Amino acid sequence: MATDVKVPALGESITEGTLAQWLKKSGDTVAADEPIASLETDKVTVDVPSPIAGVLTETVAKEGDTVEVGAIIARINESGSATPAEQGADSSPTNPSGAGESPQPRGSEEAPDAEPAAPAPATAEPAEAPAPAGASADQDGITTLSPAVRRAVLEHHVDPTKIRGTGKDGRITKDDVLAAAKSKETSREAAPAPSPEPEPAQQPKAQAKAAVAGERREERVKMSRLRQTIAKRLKDAQDTAALLTTFNDVDMSAVIDARERYKDLFAKKHGIKLGFMSFFVKAVALAARDVPSVNASIEGDEIVYHDYLDVSIAVSAPKGLVVPVVRSADAMSFAEIELAIAEYGKRAKEGTLGIEDMQGGTFTISNGGVFGSLMSTPIINPPQSAVLGMHRIEDRPVAVDGQVVIRPMMYLALTYDHRLVDGREAVTFLVRIKEAIEDPTRLLIDL
C-alpha cells in the first residue's frame, strides 16, 4: 500500500515553498521520519520527513517546482519493496519538453553565492561513472547531500565525491565534511608549494592560456525564495516608511576593559565568551524605557507599544541575512543573551533555523562591524520602527578634558520610521545607549 508524502505546514502565513532538492530517489529505502526532500520557503529551508518506513516509489514534483502546503510530492510503498515498473523508473518525473534531458544541477537555485560547477565533458557517461565509496548518487551522477552538509561543502570548498560517508547507508555527514576540510588544510600546509594543474595533453599550452585570457562568461541563477523575500521586504520598507538615519559615536574603552577583566571568569562560569552584543542589547533595553516609540510599531492608524523587548539579531547565513529573535531580552542576563545569540549563529550557518525563530521582534540590531564596516544606514525590518547599526572599532583621536587622546571608537547608526519616531526621540535614544556603553555601571543600577 502506498502512502502519500505531502508538503507539511510551513508556518504562519506561508502557503507554499520551492522543492529545492530530493534527498532520496525512487527505489530508495527510507526510514520513518527520515528526510527525503528539502523545501525552501520565504524564510528558511526545511526537510520533508517520510511518514512511514518503506520504499520511495514515486516522486511527483521535481526540483525547482513551487509546491503548496498539503500538496502530494511523493509516494512511499510501506510493503518494503518497489514494483518492477517503479524499480526501473527514473528518479525524476517525466520532462514534457523532451525525454532524457538531464535535470538542473542541485544547488543552482538555493545557493546563489556558490561557485559555479564546472561542466562535465561532452563525452562523459554519467550512468557508467561509479559513485565514490560511502556516498550515494543520483542517476545523473550528483551526490545527494542534506542542506546542512551542502552548506558545509560550499563553506569549506571540499569535493563531496571524494568524501567517504560515515552516516546511515553511507551518507555524508557534516562531521565528514569538516574532517575532509581539516585534512585538506593539513595537506596544504605540509606541501612545500602548490603544484600547477597539468595542461590537457591534447591542447597546446599557448592555446590553453589564450582561451582563458579571452574568455568572457555570464551565468544566470534564479534568485532563491529567501533572497526574493529579502529584496521585497527591504523595498517595501523604503516605499512605506519615512526612513531617516541619525548617527553618534561611542568610546568603547570601558566595555573593552570590562571584557578583558572578567572574560576568563565569565567563560568559566557560563561556558560562553563575553561579547559586545550583550552590552548593546542591555543598553537598548535601558534606552527603550526612556524612548518607548523606538520599540513600538504602526498597525493601521494605531501605534502599538510593547512593554517587552524582543530583539531581532541580524545574522549572516549562507543564503542571505536572517534575523532570529531573542525574546524578552530586557529580562535576560548577559550570559543568557550571549548563549542565545551563539546558538542562533550556529543554527543559521547550519541552515536549521525554524520559522518560529524569526517571527516577531520589536527592534533589530545589525553588526556590520564584524565585516569591517565603518558606517552604514541600515533599513528597518517591518513592522518595526527602528534598527541599530553597529560598526567596527578603530582607534581615533578624540578630545577628552581638553586633551587629544587616542580611544577605541565605534560609530552607531539608528535608522527609524519618522512617521512614529521624532528626531528628538531618536537622538535621545542614541545618547542613552552611548552613556550606557561608556559607563557600563548604568546597566547594573538602571540609570
Side-chain angles (χ1 to χ4, degrees):
M1 177 179 177
T3 299
D4 293 336
V5 180
K6 299 181 179 181
V7 177
L10 301 173
E12 183 181 354
S13 76
I14 298 180
T15 60
E16 63 181 21
T18 299
L19 204 160
Q21 180 187 20
W22 280 109
L23 305 178
K24 291 287 187 177
K25 63 180 184 295
S26 292
D28 281 353
T29 301
V30 297
D33 297 324
E34 181 180 6
I36 64 170
S38 176
L39 285 176
E40 187 180 79
T41 72
D42 294 344
K43 297 181 179 180
V44 293
T45 298
V46 297
D47 288 338
V48 179
S50 171
I52 60 169
V55 174
L56 180 61
T57 59
E58 182 183 1
T59 54
V60 178
K62 59 183 179 181
E63 294 180 358
D65 283 354
T66 298
V67 290
E68 296 182 353
V69 172
I72 298 173
I73 60 172
R75 293 185 175 88
I76 295 177
N77 189 341
E78 50 191 327
S79 65
S81 62
T83 64
E86 291 162 343
Q87 289 177 346
D90 195 328
S91 61
S92 58
T94 302
N95 186 343
S97 62
E101 184 176 331
S102 298
Q104 188 171 359
R106 291 199 168 108
S108 60
E109 293 183 5
E110 55 193 290
D113 54 344
E115 295 181 4
T123 58
E125 294 291 339
E128 297 177 3
S136 59
D138 288 339
Q139 292 181 5
D140 60 359
I142 300 175
T143 303
T144 58
L145 303 174
S146 69
V149 173
R150 188 167 59 255
R151 290 183 181 86
V153 167
L154 295 174
E155 180 179 350
H156 295 283
H157 304 289
V158 296
D159 184 356
T161 63
K162 298 180 179 179
I163 300 176
R164 180 178 296 276
T166 61
K168 185 177 181 180
D169 298 327
R171 291 177 64 84
I172 297 175
T173 67
K174 184 180 178 182
D175 289 338
D176 296 333
V177 176
L178 296 179
K182 184 176 180 181
S183 176
K184 178 181 177 183
E185 185 66 25
T186 302
S187 301
R188 184 182 303 166
E189 292 175 355
S195 301
E197 295 185 0
E199 298 289 344
Q202 71 279 11
Q203 187 176 20
K205 186 174 182 180
Q207 291 181 4
K209 288 185 176 180
V212 174
E215 186 177 20
R216 290 168 56 87
R217 298 181 58 189
E218 290 184 355
E219 182 183 10
R220 292 180 181 269
V221 179
K222 184 179 179 181
M223 292 176 67
S224 67
R225 294 183 67 91
L226 176 60
R227 176 53 58 185
Q228 292 180 49
T229 300
I230 292 173
K232 182 177 183 301
R233 287 178 61 83
L234 292 179
K235 187 57 181 173
D236 286 347
Q238 289 183 319
D239 292 342
T240 303
L243 299 180
L244 185 62
T245 303
T246 186
F247 300 91
N248 211 323
D249 62 359
V250 56
D251 185 347
M252 296 292 294
S253 299
V255 169
I256 292 174
D257 290 344
R259 288 185 65 206
E260 186 65 27
R261 188 182 310 168
Y262 299 112
K263 64 179 182 180
D264 294 336
L265 289 175
F266 189 89
K268 183 178 180 180
K269 180 176 181 179
H270 302 292
I272 189 72
K273 291 182 179 180
L274 178 60
F276 292 126
M277 189 63 76
S278 55
F279 284 92
F280 279 94
V281 171
K282 298 294 285 186
V284 166
L286 188 66
R289 296 176 188 174
D290 291 341
V291 189
S293 60
V294 174
N295 191 41
S297 59
I298 294 177
E299 291 187 8
D301 58 356
E302 296 180 334
I303 300 175
V304 180
Y305 291 96
H306 310 286
D307 65 351
Y308 53 87
L309 179 69
D310 286 352
V311 180
S312 301
I313 304 294
V315 177
S316 179
K319 293 185 180 180
L321 193 71
V322 293
V323 279
V325 181
V326 179
R327 305 189 190 281
S328 299
D330 54 320
M332 298 174 71
S333 66
F334 281 76
E336 290 171 334
I337 293 172
E338 293 291 352
L339 287 167
I341 294 174
E343 177 64 19
Y344 279 143
K346 175 185 175 184
R347 291 172 58 191
K349 290 182 179 179
E350 295 175 347
T352 58
L353 284 174
I355 295 173
E356 65 280 0
D357 296 322
M358 292 179 282
Q359 290 179 333
T362 60
F363 185 88
T364 295
I365 299 179
S366 177
N367 185 6
V370 297
F371 303 108
S373 172
L374 175 64
M375 187 179 295
S376 66
T377 56
I379 300 178
I380 65 173
N381 181 23
Q384 299 172 19
S385 62
V387 53
L388 177 69
M390 299 166 54
H391 301 91
R392 76 170 185 250
I393 302 171
E394 64 175 7
D395 290 339
R396 294 202 298 269
V398 295
V400 178
D401 297 328
Q403 300 292 324
V404 176
V405 297
I406 303 298
R407 291 292 175 85
M409 304 296 294
M410 176 193 289
Y411 285 117
L412 299 179
L414 181 74
T415 298
Y416 55 97
D417 188 348
H418 212 339
R419 298 178 302 166
L420 176 58
V421 183
D422 293 333
R424 176 186 60 82
E425 294 175 313
V427 172
T428 300
F429 182 82
L430 270 184
V431 169
R432 292 290 181 271
I433 292 177
K434 176 182 173 70
E435 292 172 345
I437 295 299
E438 293 184 343
D439 184 8
T441 305
R442 289 173 174 269
L443 301 175
L444 302 177
I445 59 179
D446 194 14
L447 283 180

